Amino acid sequence: MTAAIAIASPVDPTAPPGPGVVNPQTLAELYAARLRLAPEAEACRRFDVPTQQWRTYRWREIGALARRYAGGMQASGLRQGDRVALQVPNGPDWLALDWAAHSLGLITVGLFADETPAGTVQLLEDSGARLLVTRDLESWRAVSARSPLPGLHRVVALRAGPGAIARNAPDDARVVPLEVFMERDAPLPDSGRAAGELASIVYTSGATGRPKGVMQSQAALLANARAVQERLGFRGDDLVFSNLPLAHLFGRVAWIYAGMLGGASLMFGRGAGLVAEDLATQRPTVLIGAPRLFERIHGTLTQDLERGSAARRALFNLAVETGWANATRRDGSRRTVRLLPSAIVHRTGDALRARLGGRVRLAVSGGAALSPQIGRTFAALGVPLLQGYGLTEAGPVVSVNRIDDNDPASVGTPLSGVEIRIEATGELSVRSPSVMIGYWNDDVATRDAIDDAGWLRSGDKVSRLDTDRIYLVGRFKELLVTATGEKASPADIESRLRELSLIEQVMVVGEARPYLTALIVPQPGPLALLRAEVGLIDGDDSPAARDAIEGVLLRRCQDVLQNAPRNHWIVGVALVMQPWTPGNGMLTATQKLRRCEIARAHAHDIDRLYEGHYRVPATDCSNNASL
């Protein structure tokens, strides 16, 4: 598709660093300026599966690819303001498609590459997308089987040639081969739409009902990217790594657009299971990710320590304590605490940095809460790990800590141009140039979210502001945010699961965890039938019997959720034999779950469901949605 250039070393010495882009007014102008300033600079790199090599793509190549995509969009009859749905994995194609769409004045609609068919249909129908670019033909077949989608005019699968289409979609004239779609070039104007016009519709997770389409303008996205770049300071010699999905805004703005403003090159990771190898071979200088990325790295360190001697563990913990005690203070001075010789602290830090490739100068975590202990460990060992905060409706980044003013217990101070205030209820409100235009086709929800003065209600509860530093303590919405940044409505999932006759009560767990699970109180009659079905005798409460019942119950729960959005999937269940009642303190008088009390009472079961993963601090009562 493009003339990719293989590289033999992690950093291509022939590629000059990209200079920063000065004050673009639209995303098309940002891309065009990036190309004009340094056409031979590295734009991005990714692992090429057919050749089993990492490849680098220069801005000249991305521009050529974008022109071919723009030609296909023009030939498809798309006009300014039409919506283009992008359901493709992170990579150079995503950059080129984004560039082409914005140059032609089209509105992008990001869809997760692994979204369920039902979820994809819902978002395509709601957005009125006229073009869908998807990963493969199999994905499209699963979607089209659920709905005819009459408003969709053209479908392009990145991995489908004419033969595959003839075999698998012979009667759907909307589906065209990639090479046919891209057979001619089109120019890439600098400004397809005005700065204040709609650039992208970004759907929320649907955690509190149906997903809502957040409308972000060209100017809002660029304002947020500029503020992030001002805070983080990406450089022309930076290689910025992330696995964040570009369907959502955190990765798109804080990684792609801000990185382009600073002239950095972008590194697309292969996935969670290959992060360690990717970091070791490509040696990025900046990491941006959800907490789960840093929990995995921290977990690897602690697992190694557990296999070592007690003396080694004690030395590591003391090194972290010393490093943090001697870290830079907010006023720029240095603490003078010396618990260990600095050489030992440096050697311990070298071990962490080596795991990250040896060159990381900065790491940023966002999308969900990060344990303060992990932040302190990284910073103490010489890798500043900055926690940030935001929400899609705010552009998305609201605040980030600073390298020279890092409090891992907070989510930092507001970015430039961002105003914050605490309402009488303790809710955080935000006002900035990056606040959304509103929700797509939902004026009522827009009015509920933004007041007449432009203040956006975040739905997040704040304990205090310390010189504008934000400390979050929970959410007003009944909402879970996993360690990967995914959001889910526990009430919606629980409502679906209670459709099973086997389930009397259920509570979904997952806040700050890597995935969703559920605690389930069964109905006695159906449970007895299930026990007989799996061949268990009455009274057998052994771990093996429990595992057998939970295995069947999990499969039945997953069957119920098979058409739910992908952020509502659960991957584990634990049986709870004691019902929850107002009398034992697990329910309110109105029969609502006391989630914190249930979580505390069944901490052992929850720990069992997440065995081998990072353990949320026991004092964190927010690990179940409502307080």
Side-chain angles (χ1 to χ4, degrees), residues 417-434:
V418 176
E419 300 175 82
I420 57 174
R421 74 182 186 192
I422 301 180
E423 307 297 344
T425 59
E427 182 177 11
L428 178 70
S429 289
V430 178
R431 184 168 65 180
S432 82
S434 297

mmCIF file of all heavy atoms in Angstrom, residues 417-434:
data_model
loop_
_atom_site.group_PDB
_atom_site.id
_atom_site.type_symbol
_atom_site.label_atom_id
_atom_site.label_comp_id
_atom_site.label_asym_id
_atom_site.label_seq_id
_atom_site.Cartn_x
_atom_site.Cartn_y
_atom_site.Cartn_z
ATOM 1 N N GLY A 417 -5.508 27.771 29.798
ATOM 2 C CA GLY A 417 -6.807 28.088 29.217
ATOM 3 C C GLY A 417 -7.972 27.354 29.833
ATOM 4 O O GLY A 417 -9.125 27.583 29.461
ATOM 5 N N VAL A 418 -7.704 26.461 30.797
ATOM 6 C CA VAL A 418 -8.767 25.671 31.430
ATOM 7 C C VAL A 418 -9.133 26.287 32.773
ATOM 8 O O VAL A 418 -8.272 26.503 33.621
ATOM 9 C CB VAL A 418 -8.336 24.207 31.624
ATOM 10 C CG1 VAL A 418 -9.420 23.429 32.370
ATOM 11 C CG2 VAL A 418 -8.056 23.553 30.277
ATOM 12 N N GLU A 419 -10.412 26.568 32.963
ATOM 13 C CA GLU A 419 -10.920 27.061 34.242
ATOM 14 C C GLU A 419 -11.639 25.913 34.950
ATOM 15 O O GLU A 419 -12.310 25.103 34.311
ATOM 16 C CB GLU A 419 -11.910 28.202 34.035
ATOM 17 C CG GLU A 419 -11.350 29.408 33.327
ATOM 18 C CD GLU A 419 -12.449 30.428 33.056
ATOM 19 O OE1 GLU A 419 -12.776 31.210 33.983
ATOM 20 O OE2 GLU A 419 -12.995 30.415 31.943
ATOM 21 N N ILE A 420 -11.509 25.874 36.272
ATOM 22 C CA ILE A 420 -12.204 24.855 37.051
ATOM 23 C C ILE A 420 -12.855 25.503 38.267
ATOM 24 O O ILE A 420 -12.421 26.553 38.742
ATOM 25 C CB ILE A 420 -11.243 23.735 37.523
ATOM 26 C CG1 ILE A 420 -10.092 24.326 38.344
ATOM 27 C CG2 ILE A 420 -10.732 22.921 36.362
ATOM 28 C CD1 ILE A 420 -9.183 23.277 38.957
ATOM 29 N N ARG A 421 -13.913 24.870 38.743
ATOM 30 C CA ARG A 421 -14.556 25.313 39.988
ATOM 31 C C ARG A 421 -15.256 24.122 40.620
ATOM 32 O O ARG A 421 -15.597 23.147 39.940
ATOM 33 C CB ARG A 421 -15.537 26.450 39.730
ATOM 34 C CG ARG A 421 -16.827 26.026 39.058
ATOM 35 C CD ARG A 421 -17.747 27.204 38.789
ATOM 36 N NE ARG A 421 -19.051 26.764 38.261
ATOM 37 C CZ ARG A 421 -19.951 27.581 37.721
ATOM 38 N NH1 ARG A 421 -19.695 28.881 37.622
ATOM 39 N NH2 ARG A 421 -21.101 27.099 37.280
ATOM 40 N N ILE A 422 -15.453 24.197 41.933
ATOM 41 C CA ILE A 422 -16.184 23.155 42.650
ATOM 42 C C ILE A 422 -17.570 23.687 42.975
ATOM 43 O O ILE A 422 -17.715 24.754 43.581
ATOM 44 C CB ILE A 422 -15.463 22.754 43.953
ATOM 45 C CG1 ILE A 422 -14.049 22.254 43.660
ATOM 46 C CG2 ILE A 422 -16.244 21.667 44.672
ATOM 47 C CD1 ILE A 422 -13.291 21.855 44.896
ATOM 48 N N GLU A 423 -18.588 22.925 42.567
ATOM 49 C CA GLU A 423 -19.955 23.314 42.875
ATOM 50 C C GLU A 423 -20.262 23.033 44.346
ATOM 51 O O GLU A 423 -19.485 22.360 45.038
ATOM 52 C CB GLU A 423 -20.931 22.558 41.969
ATOM 53 C CG GLU A 423 -20.633 22.657 40.484
ATOM 54 C CD GLU A 423 -20.721 24.083 39.947
ATOM 55 O OE1 GLU A 423 -21.309 24.954 40.634
ATOM 56 O OE2 GLU A 423 -20.197 24.339 38.848
ATOM 57 N N ALA A 424 -21.394 23.513 44.794
ATOM 58 C CA ALA A 424 -21.775 23.315 46.195
ATOM 59 C C ALA A 424 -21.892 21.835 46.538
ATOM 60 O O ALA A 424 -21.694 21.436 47.687
ATOM 61 C CB ALA A 424 -23.098 24.028 46.474
ATOM 62 N N THR A 425 -22.186 21.016 45.549
ATOM 63 C CA THR A 425 -22.324 19.574 45.782
ATOM 64 C C THR A 425 -20.986 18.855 45.824
ATOM 65 O O THR A 425 -20.924 17.664 46.141
ATOM 66 C CB THR A 425 -23.158 18.951 44.657
ATOM 67 O OG1 THR A 425 -22.495 19.194 43.395
ATOM 68 C CG2 THR A 425 -24.555 19.539 44.619
ATOM 69 N N GLY A 426 -19.885 19.568 45.487
ATOM 70 C CA GLY A 426 -18.583 18.935 45.396
ATOM 71 C C GLY A 426 -18.238 18.487 43.987
ATOM 72 O O GLY A 426 -17.155 17.950 43.755
ATOM 73 N N GLU A 427 -19.129 18.732 43.031
ATOM 74 C CA GLU A 427 -18.862 18.328 41.648
ATOM 75 C C GLU A 427 -17.916 19.312 40.977
ATOM 76 O O GLU A 427 -18.000 20.525 41.176
ATOM 77 C CB GLU A 427 -20.167 18.254 40.855
ATOM 78 C CG GLU A 427 -19.976 17.786 39.418
ATOM 79 C CD GLU A 427 -21.280 17.658 38.662
ATOM 80 O OE1 GLU A 427 -22.317 18.134 39.192
ATOM 81 O OE2 GLU A 427 -21.280 17.082 37.563
ATOM 82 N N LEU A 428 -17.008 18.781 40.166
ATOM 83 C CA LEU A 428 -16.070 19.613 39.414
ATOM 84 C C LEU A 428 -16.726 20.084 38.124
ATOM 85 O O LEU A 428 -17.305 19.284 37.382
ATOM 86 C CB LEU A 428 -14.808 18.815 39.086
ATOM 87 C CG LEU A 428 -13.740 19.549 38.259
ATOM 88 C CD1 LEU A 428 -13.077 20.645 39.097
ATOM 89 C CD2 LEU A 428 -12.688 18.558 37.753
ATOM 90 N N SER A 429 -16.633 21.382 37.851
ATOM 91 C CA SER A 429 -17.076 21.941 36.576
ATOM 92 C C SER A 429 -15.875 22.512 35.851
ATOM 93 O O SER A 429 -14.908 22.977 36.471
ATOM 94 C CB SER A 429 -18.133 23.029 36.786
ATOM 95 O OG SER A 429 -19.354 22.468 37.213
ATOM 96 N N VAL A 430 -15.938 22.471 34.518
ATOM 97 C CA VAL A 430 -14.804 22.856 33.683
ATOM 98 C C VAL A 430 -15.285 23.807 32.598
ATOM 99 O O VAL A 430 -16.365 23.618 32.017
ATOM 100 C CB VAL A 430 -14.171 21.607 33.007
ATOM 101 C CG1 VAL A 430 -13.024 22.007 32.098
ATOM 102 C CG2 VAL A 430 -13.696 20.615 34.055
ATOM 103 N N ARG A 431 -14.461 24.820 32.300
ATOM 104 C CA ARG A 431 -14.734 25.713 31.172
ATOM 105 C C ARG A 431 -13.423 25.978 30.444
ATOM 106 O O ARG A 431 -12.416 26.303 31.069
ATOM 107 C CB ARG A 431 -15.366 27.027 31.652
ATOM 108 C CG ARG A 431 -15.766 27.955 30.515
ATOM 109 C CD ARG A 431 -16.642 29.093 31.009
ATOM 110 N NE ARG A 431 -15.957 29.994 31.910
ATOM 111 C CZ ARG A 431 -16.505 31.068 32.474
ATOM 112 N NH1 ARG A 431 -17.783 31.350 32.228
ATOM 113 N NH2 ARG A 431 -15.818 31.837 33.301
ATOM 114 N N SER A 432 -13.437 25.804 29.130
ATOM 115 C CA SER A 432 -12.221 26.010 28.350
ATOM 116 C C SER A 432 -12.573 26.089 26.874
ATOM 117 O O SER A 432 -13.693 25.749 26.468
ATOM 118 C CB SER A 432 -11.231 24.863 28.578
ATOM 119 O OG SER A 432 -11.564 23.741 27.773
ATOM 120 N N PRO A 433 -11.609 26.503 26.028
ATOM 121 C CA PRO A 433 -11.852 26.513 24.573
ATOM 122 C C PRO A 433 -12.061 25.122 23.995
ATOM 123 O O PRO A 433 -12.488 25.001 22.843
ATOM 124 C CB PRO A 433 -10.570 27.142 24.013
ATOM 125 C CG PRO A 433 -9.953 27.885 25.142
ATOM 126 C CD PRO A 433 -10.305 27.095 26.366
ATOM 127 N N SER A 434 -11.767 24.077 24.781
ATOM 128 C CA SER A 434 -11.864 22.717 24.271
ATOM 129 C C SER A 434 -13.148 22.001 24.670
ATOM 130 O O SER A 434 -13.335 20.831 24.320
ATOM 131 C CB SER A 434 -10.660 21.889 24.752
ATOM 132 O OG SER A 434 -9.463 22.418 24.229
#
